[in-house]
Amino acid sequence: MTTITGSCVCGQVEFSVEDQFVYAGYCHCSLCRKSSGATGTAIGGIFKANFSIVKGEEFVKKHKRSKETVSCFCGQCGSTLYGEKSTTGMVHVRYGALNSSPKLLPQAHMHVASKADWYEITDALPQFSEFPPRACSH
């Protein structure tokens, strides 16, 4: 089984995931836009058992951003790393924090109803106004 590592910008926090992502996509919700400072974020959903912090757990800060999601970021440099999904047992890993590419690439765009009006999606991936069918909560 392939393991992928990831980290924050300053290197204080490092994590590893088994390359067994269940789903992946681009999220354009206002919370992902604000936390990333960009048009949204690419995330991959993985079972919590396949995710672990390997260095710097004491630097991980958490912010409860909704009743389903706790955002986790580095308290030193502010890099957003992953989100804990308490109701589903999933972790949403920010693909931008990974050190190499996972097998499962983004499959769709979600929350396009709230995407930035100045951003145009130009690829052919399916687009969903909210969550894709059968997707875990974001």
Side-chain angles (χ1 to χ4, degrees):
M1 179 175 321
T2 303
T3 299
I4 300 174
T5 60
S7 65
C8 62
V9 170
C10 71
Q12 292 294 323
V13 179
E14 295 178 5
F15 62 89
S16 69
V17 296
E18 294 173 12
D19 193 4
Q20 295 184 335
F21 288 95
V22 178
Y23 51 85
Y26 297 105
C27 184
H28 298 278
C29 77
S30 61
L31 296 175
C32 282
R33 285 198 325 272
K34 288 181 181 284
S35 68
S36 69
T39 60
T41 189
I43 60 99
I46 193 158
F47 291 107
K48 191 172 184 170
N50 295 330
F51 175 89
S52 62
I53 299 293
V54 296
K55 176 185 163 196
E57 189 162 4
E58 68 274 17
F59 293 103
V60 176
K61 301 297 181 198
K62 298 182 178 193
H63 168 70
K64 185 169 182 160
R65 73 180 217 188
S66 72
K67 67 180 183 179
E68 297 96 15
T69 304
V70 174
S71 292
C72 302
F73 59 95
C74 175
Q76 290 291 106
C77 66
S79 298
T80 305
L81 302 169
Y82 59 96
E84 298 174 339
K85 312 302 282 183
S86 61
T87 57
T88 63
M90 301 296 284
V91 172
H92 282 184
V93 176
R94 300 290 179 114
Y95 269 17
L98 295 173
N99 295 325
S100 57
S101 296
K103 288 185 292 188
L104 184 64
L105 299 180
Q107 304 161 299
H109 293 271
M110 59 186 152
H111 293 285
V112 297
S114 61
K115 77 171 184 59
D117 60 2
W118 48 264
Y119 178 70
E120 181 181 353
I121 298 171
T122 59
D123 63 38
L125 291 176
Q127 296 181 29
F128 299 93
S129 61
E130 297 297 327
F131 291 112
R134 301 184 339 204
C136 295
S137 294
H138 179 53

